[in-house]
Amino acid sequence: MKIERLEEQIPIDHNSLVRLTEMGNITEIMYSEKRSRGGYITKIDADHYVDNRTGELFEFKHIENRSQDLASVAKSLKRLRDLLNANITDVSHCRWVTLTYAENMTDPKKLQKHNEKCVELLRKEFGHFEYITAAEPQGRGAWHLHCVYIFPGKAPYMPNDVVARCWKRGFVTVKRLDDVDNVGAYLTAYLGDMELTEASEAGISVSACKGIKEVEYEDENGTKQTKKYIKGARLYMYPPKFNLYRKSKGIVEPTVSLVSYETAKQKASSGKLTFSKTVLLEDDESDFKNTLQYEYYNSIRK
C-alpha cells in the first residue's frame, strides 16, 4: 500500500458525508472520496479468506512485528490519540508518569499486572484517578510504561521518590503537561521514534525507517543540546497484535458520527483550525485508490 501526502486539498461539497470525531477540546473531520459499501473478503479461519469478488481462496500473510502492518499501527496510534484528547480537557488535572524497569524485563504479559499493582498503591497515596497507559519497547528489550493519570480536580504534587516506592521496579519520572494543546499528538509522538544510538544498538537501520529528525532539549545544567531520532524505528520492536495502550474503567470514548460536511463544520465552529492534511492511498496489486482529507479544530482559548 502506497501512502502519499498531497500538497493540495481536495474540494468537499457541503452535502458530502464526513466522519466527525468529537474528543474533548479537539474536533476531527475526515472526508473519504470513496466510501466502502461492503466487505471484499470473508474470513474463513486465522489463516485463510475468500475474495468475495472472485470466489478464490487465499492465505493471510502473517506479520512478524507491528512495523510490517503500518495501517494497523497507524489505527492503534490514532485510537490512542483520540482517547487522550477525549479525556484530557484541562492539563492541570493530569500528571504524565514514565515507569521504567531496572532489570531487563522483556515479558509484555507482566506489564498490566505490574501497572495494576502500582495504580492500587498510588491511589492510596494520592486519591482516585483514571489512567491511560502506553507501553514502549526499548532497544535492550526491556519495557517502559508511559502513563497519564487524570484526577477529578487539580492534580496533586507527586514526588518521584513516592511514585518510585509504589512502582518498586525501577526509575520513574513525573511531569506536568503545561502549555500542551493537543495532548494526544504530543504524547503519542514518543511511541514511534527512537534515539539514533539506541536504534543502532538494536540493529535498526535508518534506510528501513522514515528518516531522521533532530530534537532540541535542555540537559541537567540547563544547556541546550540536540538529539537525533530515527522516525518510526520503535515500531519494529512491538510484537504482532500487541495492545499498545490500556485504560481504566472511567475513561470515556470519543463521540463518532457520520454527518454532512456542513453540519460538521458547524459543530467545529467554536474551535480554531489548527491542522489539516490530504493523503492519497494507492495499491497497484488490488487496483485500489482513495483520497482522505483531515481537518483538526481546537477549542482551547488562550
Side-chain angles (χ1 to χ4, degrees), residues 119-159:
V119 167
E120 179 183 338
L121 296 174
L122 287 172
R123 283 173 172 169
K124 291 180 181 178
E125 292 280 349
F126 303 105
H128 185 80
F129 58 83
E130 302 297 338
Y131 66 81
I132 301 172
T133 66
E136 178 189 65
Q138 303 301 293
R140 64 189 175 102
W143 289 88
H144 284 183
L145 271 178
H146 293 294
C147 315
V148 177
Y149 299 148
I150 307 169
F151 291 84
K154 187 176 177 61
Y157 173 61
M158 302 179 73

Side-chain angles (χ1 to χ4, degrees), residues 47-151:
D47 299 309
H48 302 91
Y49 67 93
V50 170
D51 187 322
N52 295 330
R53 295 165 293 182
T54 64
E56 296 175 282
L57 181 68
F58 291 96
E59 187 173 343
F60 284 114
K61 295 179 180 179
H62 294 293
I63 61 174
E64 296 178 359
N65 60 61
R66 295 299 294 271
S67 68
Q68 292 173 292
D69 187 7
L70 295 181
S72 174
V73 174
K75 288 179 181 178
S76 294
L77 290 176
K78 176 176 171 26
R79 285 195 295 268
L80 176 56
R81 284 195 297 270
D82 292 354
L83 201 63
L84 288 163
N85 285 328
N87 289 273
I88 301 174
T89 56
D90 187 339
V91 293
S92 71
H93 292 194
C94 304
R95 288 294 179 264
W96 178 27
V97 178
T98 301
L99 308 174
T100 68
Y101 284 90
E103 63 179 31
N104 198 31
M105 206 294 288
T106 60
D107 185 358
K109 293 182 180 179
K110 292 182 179 180
L111 284 171
Q112 182 64 6
K113 291 182 179 179
H114 294 167
N115 175 62
E116 289 174 353
K117 184 59 179 178
C118 181
V119 167
E120 179 183 338
L121 296 174
L122 287 172
R123 283 173 172 169
K124 291 180 181 178
E125 292 280 349
F126 303 105
H128 185 80
F129 58 83
E130 302 297 338
Y131 66 81
I132 301 172
T133 66
E136 178 189 65
Q138 303 301 293
R140 64 189 175 102
W143 289 88
H144 284 183
L145 271 178
H146 293 294
C147 315
V148 177
Y149 299 148
I150 307 169
F151 291 84

Side-chain angles (χ1 to χ4, degrees), residues 66 81 172 216 220 229 258 277:
R66 295 299 294 271
R81 284 195 297 270
V172 307
E216 191 176 84
E220 296 178 353
Y229 288 81
L258 196 62
K277 67 177 180 180

Side-chain angles (χ1 to χ4, degrees), residues 134-192:
E136 178 189 65
Q138 303 301 293
R140 64 189 175 102
W143 289 88
H144 284 183
L145 271 178
H146 293 294
C147 315
V148 177
Y149 299 148
I150 307 169
F151 291 84
K154 187 176 177 61
Y157 173 61
M158 302 179 73
N160 275 33
D161 59 338
V162 176
V163 177
R165 188 170 67 244
C166 295
W167 173 236
K168 300 180 180 180
R169 304 179 191 282
F171 300 105
V172 307
T173 59
V174 182
K175 296 181 179 179
R176 297 185 299 181
L177 291 170
D178 296 347
D179 301 321
V180 178
D181 290 340
N182 191 321
V183 176
Y186 178 78
L187 296 183
T188 53
Y190 285 82
L191 298 178

Side-chain angles (χ1 to χ4, degrees), residues 6 8-20 28-35 258-266 273 275-279 290-297:
L6 303 180
E8 294 186 6
Q9 293 187 342
I10 56 177
I12 306 175
D13 185 88
H14 67 279
N15 289 319
S16 295
L17 286 178
V18 298
R19 186 188 68 198
L20 175 70
E28 177 201 76
I29 298 174
M30 190 278 285
Y31 169 71
S32 172
E33 275 195 326
K34 292 183 179 178
R35 302 195 56 81
L258 196 62
V259 299
S260 70
Y261 184 56
E262 182 178 31
T263 299
K265 292 283 283 187
Q266 289 173 352
L273 178 64
F275 179 71
S276 63
K277 67 177 180 180
T278 306
V279 180
N290 194 14
T291 304
L292 307 178
Q293 188 155 295
Y294 297 85
E295 297 175 4
Y296 295 88
Y297 297 82

